[in-house]
Amino acid sequence: MKAALRSAALLAAALCPAATLLRSPYLQSVGADRATILWVTREPVEAVVEYSSDGKLWQRAPATARSFTTKGSGETRYQHQADLRGLQPGTLYHYRVVAGDALLRDGLRFRTASSGPFSFLVLGDSGTGSPAQAQVARRMLAEESASLVLHVGDLCQDDGSLDRLEAHYFNVYAPLMSRVPFFPALGNHDYGTDLAAPYLFVHVLPAPGVPESDRGRYYSFDWGDAHFISLDSNLLIHPAITARMLDWLESDLARTRAFWKIAFFHHPPYPSGHHLNDPISARVREQILPVLERHGVQVVFSGHEHSYQRSKPLRHGAVVEPGRGTVYFITGGGGADLHALGVRPELAVAEQVHHYLRVDVEGWRMSIAAIAADGRVVDRVAITPAPELAPGGVVNAGSFTPRLAPGSLISIFGHHLAMTDRPAPGFPLPTELDGLSVTLNGHPAPLLFVSPTQINAQAPYGMDGAGVLRVRTPNGSAEAAVTLAPAAPAILRLPRGASPAPAILRHPSGVLVSPDSPAAPGETLMVYLTGLGAVAGSLSAGHPAPGPLVARHGVEVRLGQLALTPAFAGLAPGFVGLYRVDVTLPLTLTPGVYELRVVAAGAASEPVSVWVSALPLAEEQDSGEP
Ligand SMILES: [Fe+2]
């Protein structure tokens, strides 16, 4: 009954609106748990978004409003913003906008981000409301399954004013924008009014990590297995702001663990025609591309030239084989008058055509199709990034040096290694995880953990000398030359506060030795490390040590100038590739901080600090008694 009354009230309100909707509701910054919805009314009404995942139970998100004055008519208008939080990932939400007693818009829907395959659209340089722009927009609207849209800048061709944005951006894309979020980049025309103030006013873009003064100009976000980065290439003429943006870019790319890294910005690094000698494009090549390529960005979308262009895969400006490097797209065919094309050696495909891109991200493969306004497929290409190992990227997991030993833990750093973070499900360790495998001279290396940028594995037993480590994924393989020594001891580190501490525990309490908990003379310490090599008995790689298996090579502990013989040195029971050395501190040891090294088969670990206290008074007295 209550619901019926509510519906009747809404219907009545809809027939007699108390507010005039001037800009339709549109989505911004949709993520796995959030969405922002904006719209514009003529009247300063209180408004709310009602939303529901099942069409029955409705929640309300009140909106805040900001007024603005149009340049043309001089009228005051009100931009409303409702922030929806605590949403469920991968969920379809229905929503409607209510202002006072009036139902401003009903029957809208959007879907939150989630893991798994997804699709997105890309367009740029939308123009000034041409029939071609409308045709591209209609065709994009028909792409029901796309999750989001990237706009690579020049949202409209003229002065970037609010009036132009209303006429040539919101009015054209409104039905699509109510359904999927647009994530834009700033073009040169968007700067035409008050340094892009209208653009910044109408968008609510992700802010984390971006300096407050630059918010909205560049940003990043995640969707599925992809990390998206929007840059403001216009800023490259301002050295101070460029330095801030590049600092942010460097740390943003270093932090992401996504397999797919996609960057978009307006000025193309490799223009061929209308903007061939654009000085900003040269700066993009010099300042932005080295950062993107160093971090394994696979795809870059730009606009500015009104055409479609796809580069060959490139690295440092040179053509590389498919599956390597970065592919650069120019997708400036959203509706503005088309530009003539030129010729560049980097170009793979180019066409003077109004179009948009449809991108399907599906696990290890990204498929990109350029679709003309009339529906013709202009180009289609698959991006399948092969694994790449960082220079010197195969290291001992304890020391992060190239010193490796059989049976020990190794870390492998690079790009495009695995699709997602995934630890081994259990023992024995698998030799393949999510399609990824590692071999050393053809012998499988058991895997502890895989991720897009790091693999932790165990070196097989029974190997010595020079070898080849190969990482294989469904997209290809990469190899690195390695050398295995009989032993390569490296003491592990454990998290402790802001900085990790050497994995040296006091026996039998298991308390970490630290300045706050120093070891005492006469106490036995358990040093956890990797790299002691072969052990007595037979144990297959990937299997946990069934008991304390003793290392085959002689092991010594050096504490300052002292050489100590450990009570035990070998594999720690229940672990893979993890060794333990038990050593008892002499009763005569004076208090202080000592350097501790473990030496095996002539190889010494890096030194770590051990804090030693004075002998407890009671023990001193006890030790003096007969
Ligand atoms: Fe442009």
Side-chain angles (χ1 to χ4, degrees):
M1 181 65 177
K2 226 175 188 179
L5 285 174
R6 171 75 174 153
S7 299
L10 289 175
L11 183 61
L15 295 172
C16 307
T20 314
L21 190 64
L22 296 177
R23 189 192 308 156
S24 292
Y26 59 105
L27 294 158
Q28 288 281 276
S29 292
V30 175
D33 65 347
R34 62 189 53 213
T36 290
I37 298 165
L38 297 100
W39 64 96
V40 167
T41 61
R42 177 169 289 133
E43 299 81 6
V45 289
E46 284 192 5
V48 64
V49 167
E50 297 183 342
Y51 61 101
S52 169
S53 59
D54 60 7
K56 296 172 191 163
L57 187 65
W58 290 81
Q59 293 178 275
R60 292 162 63 85
T64 55
R66 295 166 70 191
S67 64
F68 64 95
T69 306
T70 63
K71 231 176 195 172
S73 63
E75 286 179 14
T76 300
R77 292 175 179 176
Y78 298 87
Q79 179 173 290
H80 303 263
Q81 174 181 335
D83 297 312
L84 283 53
R85 297 290 182 263
L87 306 180
Q88 296 301 310
T91 302
L92 181 70
Y93 284 89
H94 303 271
Y95 71 99
R96 58 197 182 208
V97 177
V98 180
D101 291 329
L103 178 62
L104 289 185
R105 189 57 60 87
D106 197 3
L108 304 173
R109 65 179 191 271
F110 70 93
R111 188 178 289 278
T112 47
S114 67
S115 57
F118 72 101
S119 302
F120 64 95
L121 311 179
V122 195
L123 82 163
D125 302 85
S126 291
T128 54
S130 67
Q133 183 189 4
Q135 197 180 4
V136 170
R138 275 198 303 276
R139 198 157 287 283
M140 288 170 64
L141 185 61
E143 291 280 0
E144 289 275 355
S145 62
S147 296
L148 58 105
V149 174
L150 308 183
H151 197 299
V152 297
D154 284 359
L155 305 184
C156 41
Q157 186 64 19
D158 299 305
D159 55 9
S161 66
L162 276 170
D163 291 348
R164 299 287 189 187
L165 286 172
E166 302 291 4
H168 301 143
Y169 181 53
F170 290 111
N171 278 357
V172 177
Y173 303 117
L176 192 55
M177 296 176 97
S178 72
R179 197 178 290 179
V180 296
F182 271 46
F183 290 95
L186 271 157
N188 51 306
H189 285 280
D190 303 314
Y191 264 89
T193 299
D194 301 333
L195 293 175
Y199 171 105
L200 296 173
F201 180 72
V202 302
H203 292 111
V204 177
L205 299 168
V210 180
E212 197 161 345
S213 57
D214 299 343
R215 295 231 171 115
R217 296 186 194 275
Y218 52 89
Y219 59 92
S220 65
F221 65 96
D222 294 312
W223 201 294
D225 296 318
H227 183 68
F228 291 88
I229 298 158
S230 175
L231 297 175
D232 182 353
S233 45
N234 301 278
L235 297 180
L236 293 177
I237 57 172
H238 303 289
I241 310 179
T242 297
R244 279 205 304 269
M245 181 169 70
L246 293 179
D247 280 352
W248 169 85
L249 177 63
E250 187 76 50
S251 59
D252 181 82
L253 279 168
R255 201 167 40 243
T256 181
R257 302 184 65 80
F259 179 87
W260 292 103
K261 295 170 191 142
I262 299 160
F264 61 107
F265 44 83
H266 187 63
H267 296 80
Y270 299 106
S272 74
H274 197 68
H275 292 290
L276 180 64
N277 297 313
D278 193 317
I280 292 188
S281 288
R283 292 180 190 216
V284 168
R285 289 195 298 275
E286 290 158 13
Q287 296 179 269
I288 292 180
L289 263 50
V291 184
L292 301 183
E293 294 189 1
R294 187 165 63 250
H295 287 280
V297 170
Q298 300 101 341
V299 176
V300 170
F301 300 111
S302 297
H304 203 38
E305 294 214 323
H306 301 171
S307 58
Y308 171 71
Q309 299 173 49
R310 168 165 65 87
S311 81
K312 298 166 186 169
L314 301 173
R315 179 170 296 152
H316 311 315
V319 176
V320 293
E321 61 186 85
R324 313 278 175 193
T326 308
V327 179
Y328 295 90
F329 290 83
I330 295 177
T331 177
D337 292 344
L338 295 172
H339 289 158
L341 293 162
V343 177
R344 277 190 88 112
E346 300 91 350
L347 264 182
V349 177
E351 187 169 326
Q352 193 182 13
V353 62
H354 286 116
H355 72 283
Y356 67 93
L357 305 184
R358 179 191 169 91
V359 184
D360 299 305
V361 183
E362 202 164 359
W364 297 89
R365 179 188 179 92
M366 179 186 291
S367 304
I368 303 177
I371 298 168
D374 62 5
R376 178 175 59 89
V377 177
V378 175
D379 184 29
R380 196 186 290 277
V381 64
I383 310 287
T384 53
E388 291 181 16
L389 302 181
V394 181
V395 294
N396 183 314
S399 62
F400 293 103
T401 69
R403 296 201 296 269
L404 310 179
S408 295
L409 302 177
I410 57 177
S411 291
I412 302 162
F413 294 95
H415 295 295
H416 322 146
L417 301 178
M419 273 309 302
T420 55
D421 291 10
R422 194 174 297 278
F427 295 130
L429 296 177
T431 53
E432 184 180 319
L433 258 179
D434 286 353
L436 180 152
S437 62
V438 176
T439 56
L440 245 164
N441 283 356
H443 299 282
L447 303 168
L448 288 97
F449 168 79
V450 300
S451 76
T453 54
Q454 182 177 348
I455 299 167
N456 292 337
Q458 184 190 25
Y461 287 107
M463 303 193 59
D464 197 7
V468 174
L469 179 139
R470 179 173 287 115
V471 174
R472 195 181 298 277
T473 76
N475 285 348
S477 64
E479 29 176 84
V482 295
T483 303
L484 274 75
I491 297 168
L492 300 173
R493 290 181 177 273
L494 295 173
R496 182 179 66 92
S499 59
I504 301 178
L505 309 184
R506 300 170 63 187
H507 181 81
S509 66
V511 173
L512 193 68
V513 176
S514 71
D516 301 329
S517 177
E523 195 168 31
T524 297
L525 302 183
M526 300 177 289
V527 182
Y528 284 89
L529 70 167
T530 191
L532 291 187
V535 292
S538 66
L539 180 68
S540 301
H543 290 258
L549 298 182
V550 177
R552 282 185 189 275
H553 303 288
V555 177
E556 183 180 84
V557 174
R558 294 201 184 136
L559 189 73
Q561 302 300 316
L562 298 173
L564 307 174
T565 302
F568 168 74
L571 279 173
F575 292 95
V576 168
L578 180 67
Y579 297 78
R580 203 181 84 199
V581 171
D582 296 348
V583 63
T584 303
L585 302 180
L587 281 167
T588 54
L589 207 58
T590 54
V593 184
Y594 290 83
E595 273 195 352
L596 183 147
R597 294 171 188 262
V598 173
V599 182
S605 70
E606 295 289 315
V608 297
S609 295
V610 171
W611 292 267
V612 177
S613 66
L615 191 64
L617 194 58
E619 289 186 28
E620 268 184 322
Q621 287 169 347
D622 288 349
S623 65
E625 288 185 3

